[in-house]
Amino acid sequence: MATSFSHLHNILIPLSEQIRESLSKTPYKPPDSSNLSIKLYVQSLLPPINNNNLESDFQSQLNNFSLLCAALASSQTSTYDHLSWIPLSLSNSADSAFRELRKAFSDDQEKDLVTELMPALLPLIKASIKESSVDKVDADGDEVSAASARVPVAYAVLAAYQLNWFVTQVDLLQLGKLCWLIIPCALTALDHWSPEVKGQGMITFIHLAKHVNSSEFSLYEDVILDACCQNIASSDEIWEHVVEMSVLLVTSTQQNNPRSQWYEKLLNEMLSHLWRQPRSKERRIPWLKHIEPLLIGMGLVLLAHFRRLFPLFFKWMHADDDETILLVLDSVKTVIKFTWIRYSPYYDRLVDELVILYKDASLKVEREEIRARILQILILLQQCKADRFEAAWLKHEDDPNLSTLYPSLTPKEPNSCPIST
């Protein structure tokens, strides 16, 4: 950076004073009778009043002001108790102040402020997350950390929100170039014991997976995917994040290798977690929403997982909510398309379960959508294995409740599955 920042300092100070005034008027009550004051910490990031030592302190003031804006602006997406005191107006003011300073920096320095700040700020954020991590093991094998006993976890949560906010501010064309800084920091968040910290690390990885080339993960590939596996059994509040993150990262990094150990490990971990509470709506819906790319990526390898997949599918096809039914029918169709349901003992039962659901759908709000999906699957099953389908369908052919299906399921010659496996 250039040595003279008087112009930028003259912009930063009034912006800081506006936020200082808003902060002073914002009431603060620590949650759960906590003695911790996040508000005091945030206020400590403001430049000292009447500071005349402009140039020597500017870099520090710029860093702190940016951390301040990130803390306040990121609270918009937070439900965390220690950040709930920040009103939307203050959050928006911080976001606007940072954008104004960023534009002034770009005009003055012809560089992007966020890109320039990342090498200085991410190590600070990483250290703040690390302070309350559990990273030691005692003689009995129990995880302990002297740091976690004296450093409130709220600081790590705030740092995780700051991390995610800064990452989402990076120009997408520059994001890949900063992965070497972002990934270690996000991994530190995933390693933390707090679900809130983990969740922000996951959201950060989701953003990266959606916007950078898979080659940017190459140096960290195994470490990242191992962290995904280790976090599958997270609490339900971040289950959707870990599923989306894991699916995006494994399909991005292992896209040409369906027999990769990481596909196998991740799917096994997810299925194990689902089997612990197979009727949990909070687990099945997020999984069904995000799992399709992984199913497609594995293709025929899914045959090895039928024993654990289809019993779950059969349970979920008769769930109380229409959303689950529609989602599971989509997943069933995907599995059939990419495996041709070869040599499966579940073929006949699948036909029976679909018939039962077709009749039960008369009581569903989404009955037309449900029945349309069932018909698509039955046609696909018939196309894949005509002889076996005719044998399975024989027991249902006289059922008057299925009369609308008959015209679409007239006997056909055996054919190959229309979708490439």
Side-chain angles (χ1 to χ4, degrees), residues 352-366:
D352 292 342
E353 296 288 351
L354 289 169
V355 167
I356 293 171
L357 179 57
Y358 188 88
K359 292 188 287 187
D360 290 346
S362 61
L363 303 176
K364 304 290 184 181
V365 174
E366 299 290 342

Side-chain angles (χ1 to χ4, degrees), residues 15-16 19 42 45 62-75 90-91 93-99 101 162 165-166:
L15 291 174
S16 299
I19 293 179
V42 170
L45 296 172
L62 182 61
N63 290 347
N64 286 340
F65 183 75
S66 300
L67 289 169
L68 164 75
C69 291
L72 296 175
S74 64
S75 67
L90 180 54
S91 180
S93 295
D95 185 74
S96 297
F98 186 82
R99 282 190 280 110
L101 184 63
Q162 288 171 316
W165 189 82
F166 277 120

Side-chain angles (χ1 to χ4, degrees), residues 374-384 389 408-409:
I374 292 172
L375 178 58
Q376 291 171 2
I377 295 172
L378 289 172
I379 291 173
L380 189 56
L381 287 170
Q382 186 182 44
Q383 290 174 327
C384 290
F389 180 82
S408 301
L409 298 173

Side-chain angles (χ1 to χ4, degrees), residues 216-261:
E216 303 294 348
F217 299 113
S218 58
L219 291 177
Y220 308 91
E221 183 177 300
D222 287 345
V223 177
I224 292 172
L225 294 176
D226 182 65
C228 290
C229 287
Q230 296 299 322
N231 281 281
I232 291 299
S234 297
S235 59
D236 286 351
E237 63 192 283
I238 56 172
W239 166 243
E240 181 161 8
H241 296 325
V242 74
V243 172
E244 184 177 7
M245 172 187 70
S246 300
V247 170
L248 285 171
L249 289 170
V250 75
T251 53
S252 173
T253 60
Q254 312 296 307
Q255 52 190 324
N256 297 319
N257 184 16
R259 297 189 179 276
S260 163
Q261 63 167 331

Side-chain angles (χ1 to χ4, degrees), residues 158-204:
L158 180 61
Y161 274 95
Q162 288 171 316
L163 164 66
N164 188 47
W165 189 82
F166 277 120
V167 170
T168 58
Q169 304 308 303
V170 177
D171 186 286
L172 295 182
L173 295 177
Q174 301 298 318
L175 190 59
K177 298 176 183 178
L178 293 172
C179 279
W180 66 278
L181 278 168
I182 298 169
I183 291 174
C185 194
L187 283 170
T188 301
L190 290 190
D191 287 341
H192 201 277
W193 56 269
S194 165
E196 195 81 36
V197 177
K198 284 180 179 291
Q200 290 304 302
M202 292 170 187
I203 295 172
T204 298

Side-chain angles (χ1 to χ4, degrees), residues 257-325:
N257 184 16
R259 297 189 179 276
S260 163
Q261 63 167 331
W262 293 115
Y263 273 123
E264 185 83 8
K265 286 184 177 181
L266 281 165
L267 183 57
N268 276 328
E269 288 291 334
M270 289 179 185
L271 291 176
S272 295
H273 193 59
L274 290 165
W275 268 103
R276 293 184 190 107
Q277 293 185 35
R279 299 190 184 278
S280 170
K281 183 178 178 180
E282 290 72 23
R283 292 188 184 181
R284 70 189 182 225
I285 287 181
W287 190 79
L288 289 167
K289 278 182 178 180
H290 297 291
I291 199 61
E292 184 175 23
L294 184 145
L295 300 178
I296 293 172
M298 293 186 73
L300 279 173
V301 180
L302 286 171
L303 288 167
H305 299 273
F306 274 15
R307 181 176 59 84
R308 303 177 77 197
L309 272 174
F310 273 97
L312 287 174
F313 287 166
F314 294 148
K315 283 185 176 71
W316 297 340
M317 283 166 61
H318 305 292
D320 294 334
D321 62 293
D322 291 3
E323 183 179 12
T324 294
I325 295 172

